[in-house]
Amino acid sequence: MHHVAIVGSGPAGYYTAEALLRLWGEDVAIDIIDRLPVPFGLIRSGVAPDHQSIKAVTRRYEGVALNNNVQFAGNILIGKDISVDELMALYDAVVLATGAPHDRKLDIPGEDLPGVMGSAEFVGWYNGHPDHADLAPPLDTSHVAIIGNGNVALDVARILAKTPEEFHGSDIVAHALESLSGSRIRTINLIGRRGPHQIAMTPKELGELAHLERAAPRVDPTDFPDAGDDAMLEPGIRKSVSHLRAFAANPVAKPITIEFDFFARPVAIEGEGRAERVVLERTALDAELRSVGTGEHYSVPAGMVIACIGYQTPPIAGVPYEHGRGRFANTDGLILPGLYCVGWARRGPSGTIGTNKPDGAIIAERIVAETPTSPSRKRGRTGLHDLVRARKLDLVSFDDWQRIDAAEIAAARHGAPREKFVSVDEMLVTKSQ
Ligand code: NAP
């Protein structure tokens, strides 16, 4: 029997476990450890609540979780409750699949003003992540600035723009639905430091902006290069750009405007005691398509500023870390002998949920190739449970999660798949009932 600990129960963790089971069959015992009492990481806390079809992938992860050789150990924080060194002493391989749940900083003056937040906080708030349930975003403002031109910026703009009725069938948490129902937002500025050809938005997600009940996108036609230049684009981006061109050609008036502000980089956020405006510098592209400031400045009003500029992996004491890129220092997933990383913790926050499948398979193959074939002398799960008992940790099993899951489903408002618990205490009380 080989013993493997996977830290993190999001897509990268489950795809790695699935691949290990495929390669080692009955010869592996896998413990999937998560700091939250609930599994599935980004699927639960990151994927937009109105994109339920993407969340259906959790059924596949459940199949892995219910394998006899797999255990879920929730509510254990590696690096605090149990160290990575202790795990490495217990398991033949330890895989860090901890994702990238922390915001990258804008590093501009005014970033700490009330009303300024990162997408991890804001997305975590509307998705009921216990770390961000108390965020209280200032939705009493008429103007919001969203920094970044990726899919997260699109998710955030769409969630801010939707009517309460448009959340029917979603699992947006009650506190967010209630706050958004009273929102006074009228203008959402989507600020991109480069141009329409450089967006990181996928066509399906961008196309959704054309179908919102009370909001419509607005794009300045003069921001585009010649239409003929679109032919040079990779097909996905070309389709996205065709959506942008359609938005520019057919402006629609609705109560909320989603304004694409291209070629603008934020240089400061200003306001008396809270965010009131973002100061932007006009940019142009250099020969390498990087944005460079032109020296021309202007401001847009913004009582709330949400930076959707990418994420980073939280460091763990004793694990080599690449600060510039916000991920563990690794060579093709290997951090140290016996210690691996996978998914966003390995490559940074890029790609879709599905990108983690080949990623998990590569790490699993590597682990199988690099683990001695002789019988393991590691204690694995038995050792983990000894530590849990000695430290009086409140480990949450997959059975416990299924009780929490059933209670969330039972509490769902009409048409919603579930009403999530948004505090760890509520989750722990529920699993014990
Ligand atoms: P992203 O795709 O990397 O986009 C980040 C955006 O922020 C880029 O437009 C980038 O501009 C901009 N940016 C970075 N630093 C900046 C700065 N200092 N000032 C101004 N702008 C800055 O990241 P993301 O949107 O967070 O998405 C993360 C991953 O999750 C992506 O792979 C995304 O596709 C995926 N995702 C997918 C879905 C979906 O499939 N439905 C939904 C959400 C997220 P530059 O290009 O100039 O660097």
Side-chain angles (χ1 to χ4, degrees):
M1 187 63 96
H2 304 287
H3 300 282
V4 178
I6 297 176
V7 184
S9 68
Y14 271 105
Y15 284 125
T16 304
E18 186 183 72
L20 282 169
L21 288 172
R22 204 167 44 239
L23 293 167
W24 260 334
E26 289 293 306
D27 295 336
V28 63
I30 303 169
D31 292 340
I32 301 181
I33 304 169
D34 203 290
R35 76 183 186 94
L36 287 183
V38 292
F40 308 139
L42 191 77
I43 305 289
R44 179 178 168 101
S45 304
V47 171
D50 57 344
H51 281 172
Q52 285 297 310
S53 58
I54 298 179
K55 295 186 185 234
V57 74
T58 55
R59 291 205 200 97
R60 179 172 180 153
Y61 306 155
E62 263 160 25
V64 175
L66 293 170
N67 183 295
N68 287 336
N69 291 28
V70 176
Q71 175 197 252
F72 175 69
N75 200 34
I76 309 281
L77 179 54
I78 299 303
K80 180 170 168 274
D81 296 328
I82 294 173
S83 71
V84 169
D85 282 348
E86 285 171 322
L87 277 191
M88 289 176 72
L90 291 175
Y91 293 86
D92 297 299
V94 174
V95 186
L96 302 178
T98 47
H102 285 189
D103 283 306
R104 277 198 190 129
K105 303 293 278 177
L106 280 165
D107 285 330
I108 58 173
E111 187 167 17
D112 297 326
L113 281 171
V116 184
M117 63 201 77
S119 51
E121 292 173 275
F122 187 70
V123 171
W125 171 73
Y126 64 64
N127 272 330
H129 191 293
D131 288 357
H132 307 299
D134 297 330
L135 183 70
L139 297 163
D140 56 345
T141 180
S142 56
H143 286 72
V144 178
I146 297 176
I147 318 284
N149 271 181
N151 278 329
V152 171
L154 275 182
D155 279 349
V156 166
R158 190 180 69 254
I159 296 295
L160 285 171
K162 277 194 164 181
T163 61
E165 294 71 30
E166 286 174 288
F167 286 110
H168 185 78
S170 81
D171 65 351
I172 189 166
V173 292
H175 66 229
L177 186 57
E178 195 186 324
S179 301
L180 288 164
S181 303
S183 152
R184 300 215 178 131
I185 293 167
R186 287 293 167 264
T187 305
I188 299 169
N189 269 89
L190 268 175
I191 296 165
R193 61 182 173 182
R194 299 192 288 158
H197 273 198
Q198 287 75 41
I199 55 169
M201 299 167 167
T202 44
K204 181 180 159 292
E205 284 65 26
L206 190 54
E208 284 179 69
L209 294 192
H211 305 288
L212 297 172
E213 208 171 296
R214 65 174 173 190
R218 192 150 66 200
V219 180
D220 183 344
T222 65
D223 280 336
F224 291 93
D226 287 344
D229 293 356
D230 292 5
M232 294 183 297
L233 296 171
E234 174 271 308
I237 292 291
R238 196 185 319 141
K239 185 104 193 280
S240 292
V241 170
S242 74
H243 282 308
L244 288 176
R245 287 195 186 273
F247 299 160
N250 310 298
V252 178
K254 290 193 184 175
I256 298 178
T257 304
I258 301 174
E259 180 91 44
F260 282 80
D261 207 346
F262 289 115
F263 300 110
R265 73 179 182 97
V267 293
I269 299 163
E270 296 177 342
E272 290 300 316
R274 63 172 278 185
E276 290 174 14
R277 73 196 82 82
V278 183
V279 183
L280 300 164
E281 182 180 17
R282 266 286 152 242
T283 61
L285 296 181
D286 68 8
E288 271 82 48
L289 301 178
R290 289 175 306 214
S291 68
V292 285
T294 61
E296 180 195 339
H297 291 85
Y298 66 103
S299 297
V300 292
M304 178 159 71
V305 180
I306 307 174
C308 304
I309 59 167
Y311 299 119
Q312 44 193 348
T313 299
I316 300 180
V319 180
Y321 189 79
E322 236 184 291
H323 281 277
R325 302 178 78 164
R327 62 181 197 189
F328 295 118
N330 73 92
T331 308
D332 299 328
L334 181 71
I335 302 175
L336 299 167
L339 182 63
Y340 302 83
C341 57
V342 68
W344 281 8
R346 178 184 79 77
R347 63 176 199 274
S350 63
T352 62
I353 306 287
T355 313
N356 295 297
K357 198 173 159 211
D359 223 40
I362 289 166
I363 293 303
E365 279 161 24
R366 194 165 183 163
I367 291 169
V368 170
E370 292 173 358
T371 304
T373 47
S374 52
S376 169
R377 302 174 66 182
K378 301 286 180 114
R379 296 186 64 228
R381 189 168 299 169
T382 316
L384 178 73
H385 282 275
D386 284 350
L387 278 181
V388 164
R389 260 190 306 276
R391 290 178 193 173
K392 298 189 168 49
L393 304 175
D394 193 359
L395 181 146
V396 175
S397 67
F398 205 75
D399 282 352
D400 293 333
W401 151 245
Q402 286 180 314
R403 267 191 295 282
I404 298 170
D405 188 32
E408 289 189 343
I409 293 168
R413 62 184 171 271
H414 174 65
R418 68 179 61 244
E419 186 60 56
K420 290 179 196 163
F421 293 112
V422 302
S423 87
V424 167
D425 285 348
E426 280 177 315
M427 294 168 185
L428 295 180
V429 166
T430 307
K431 68 111 178 164
S432 308
Q433 283 170 350

